[in-house]
Amino acid sequence: MAVNLATDIKPISYIKTNAADMMKYVTDRRNPIIITQNGEAKAVLVDIKTYQETKDAFALLHLIKIAEKDIQNGDFEPSDKVFSDLRKEILENA
């Protein structure tokens, strides 16, 4: 999803007067629009699906960061023990 400098950067005045078209553009193309104000990039308009995927990706990265911290602190179990315990629990509850 590369930014096309000719079509994906718009001033806020353009967004205001063409809001419905801009919403359709980001929804159909799943390409963000960079919104400028006084010649500076100030915001990004993205479709809801892309926004949700981005939020989900950040949530996953946060979980990985927590796991890495646990590993650094030695707060983990070897995988063979974890799977052995899971198998045992499954057999007990079957």
Side-chain angles (χ1 to χ4, degrees):
M1 176 175 14
V3 174
N4 181 326
L5 298 177
T7 59
D8 297 343
I9 300 176
K10 300 288 184 195
I12 194 165
S13 58
Y14 184 86
I15 301 296
K16 287 178 184 178
T17 57
N18 299 284
D21 291 340
M22 294 294 90
M23 297 287 285
K24 183 171 178 14
Y25 179 87
V26 297
T27 301
D28 291 349
R29 295 184 184 211
R30 296 202 62 206
N31 218 31
I33 293 180
I34 298 169
I35 303 169
T36 63
Q37 186 175 34
N38 299 324
E40 294 182 29
K42 294 290 186 177
V44 178
L45 179 64
V46 296
D47 66 284
I48 195 68
K49 187 172 181 181
T50 299
Y51 177 76
Q52 186 63 56
E53 288 171 354
T54 302
K55 296 269 295 169
D56 293 347
F58 277 119
L60 182 57
L61 287 173
H62 181 69
L63 292 174
I64 291 170
K65 184 177 177 181
I66 291 170
E68 286 176 340
K69 188 175 180 181
D70 285 345
I71 290 168
Q72 288 174 351
N73 293 333
D75 187 18
F76 66 93
E77 298 276 343
S79 60
D80 56 341
K81 181 180 180 332
V82 171
F83 286 114
S84 174
D85 291 348
L86 284 172
R87 283 186 198 96
K88 182 179 176 183
E89 188 173 330
I90 289 169
L91 289 173
E92 288 173 357
N93 293 321

